[in-house]
Amino acid sequence: AQSVAQPEDQVNVAEGNPLTVKCTYSVSGNPYLFWYVQYPNRGLQFLLKYITGDNLVKGSYGFEAEFNKSQTSFHLKKPSALVSDSALYFCAVRDRADSNYQLIWGAGTKLIIKP
Amino acid sequence: DAGVIQSPRHEVTEMGQEVTLRCKPISGHNSLFWYRQTMMRGLELLIYFNNNVPIDDSGMPEDRFSAKMPNASFSTLKIQPSEPRDSAVYFCASSLALAKQPQHFGDGTRLSIL
């Protein structure tokens, strides 16, 4: 069965420090991987995706994510955190072999950036 | 370009009443998804459509929930009769029907059933 795990319910980082939000996945085939961010009272916003090619993917707002096939991980990173990065972050996966277009979602990680 | 548009943004009603949530997907997108988000259960897929046809409704909680997509630019999610446990934020998302394309979300309808 396909699944996504975000092992941390909450991540606390001081402003200016690097941040990492972890995601691991399980699919039977090769994955498409996505990160989304949700600000209060807003819908989920697409940040970045891994489709193929370079394992380091760059996205919106200075975020990047590294695909690691051997560890089945897709961690979200940013070199220097901003207070405005505080939000809820979701990882999602889709098996390339699937004929439908559903995403399998992680439970979300609350990121808190302290000034 | 306009994103996914949902209405109303907030709905408060008494249990037993019919509730209709509306969604206008991004023009050109041919997949549409309805989600429900709660603190307890997180983000749940209720139903999704491809080219206006329901493909998977296994996430619809029970017969009180129904969804329609009469054309490519409009979808509704209806709850009848509503119950307090239906209180949640309901999101609509749309995408191109390609596996590598992301879903784009509306800002949701916050539903409170008293």
Side-chain angles (χ1 to χ4, degrees):
Chain A
Q2 300 177 65
S3 65
V4 175
Q6 294 183 240
E8 299 153 320
D9 290 337
Q10 183 169 307
V11 172
N12 298 297
V13 177
E15 186 177 26
N17 282 0
L19 68 87
T20 299
V21 183
K22 295 179 180 177
C23 172
T24 59
Y25 66 90
S26 175
V27 297
S28 55
N30 292 313
Y32 293 127
L33 293 153
F34 303 81
W35 274 103
Y36 287 76
V37 60
Q38 185 180 26
Y39 299 103
N41 300 314
R42 299 296 304 275
L44 281 70
Q45 296 179 31
F46 168 68
L47 273 180
L48 53 78
K49 65 181 179 182
Y50 172 78
I51 302 301
T52 188
D54 194 345
N55 290 342
L56 186 64
V57 179
K58 294 187 184 296
S60 306
Y61 312 122
F63 283 93
E64 57 190 28
E66 186 168 12
F67 171 62
N68 187 317
K69 187 172 183 178
S70 62
Q71 297 186 5
T72 62
S73 67
F74 189 55
H75 300 332
L76 182 70
K77 300 181 180 183
K78 187 172 183 180
S80 179
L82 300 173
V83 173
S84 57
D85 293 329
S86 298
L88 189 57
Y89 290 80
F90 290 92
C91 181
V93 67
R94 177 184 291 134
D95 191 325
R96 292 175 191 236
D98 270 352
S99 58
N100 68 55
Y101 305 110
Q102 296 183 42
L103 287 171
I104 307 302
W105 295 90
T109 298
K110 186 175 184 179
L111 177 64
I112 298 176
I113 309 299
K114 298 180 179 179
Chain B
D1 288 341
V4 175
I5 299 172
Q6 291 186 247
S7 64
R9 288 296 315 275
H10 303 274
E11 176 89 11
V12 181
T13 192
E14 293 186 349
M15 66 176 295
Q17 297 298 306
E18 179 178 291
V19 173
T20 300
L21 311 182
R22 297 173 176 81
C23 174
K24 177 179 171 55
I26 292 172
S27 178
H29 283 187
N30 47 4
S31 289
L32 184 138
F33 307 81
W34 281 101
Y35 290 91
R36 178 171 68 178
Q37 186 179 39
T38 60
M39 291 291 292
M40 291 294 293
R41 300 174 68 93
L43 192 65
E44 302 174 275
L45 176 66
L46 300 177
I47 186 171
Y48 95 93
F49 294 84
N50 201 37
N51 293 321
N52 312 337
V53 176
I55 302 300
D56 185 352
D57 65 355
S58 60
M60 296 285 262
E62 46 198 273
D63 292 344
R64 297 185 298 106
F65 285 69
S66 62
K68 294 182 179 180
M69 192 165 185
N71 57 62
S73 59
F74 184 65
S75 178
T76 59
L77 178 67
K78 187 174 293 187
I79 308 172
Q80 167 63 20
S82 57
E83 296 183 4
R85 61 193 168 117
D86 301 331
S87 297
V89 182
Y90 290 81
F91 289 105
C92 175
S94 71
S95 74
L96 292 169
L98 295 169
K100 59 185 176 182
Q101 293 300 324
Q103 295 176 14
H104 297 267
F105 284 72
D107 279 335
T109 295
R110 183 172 296 275
L111 178 63
S112 297
I113 308 298
L114 305 177

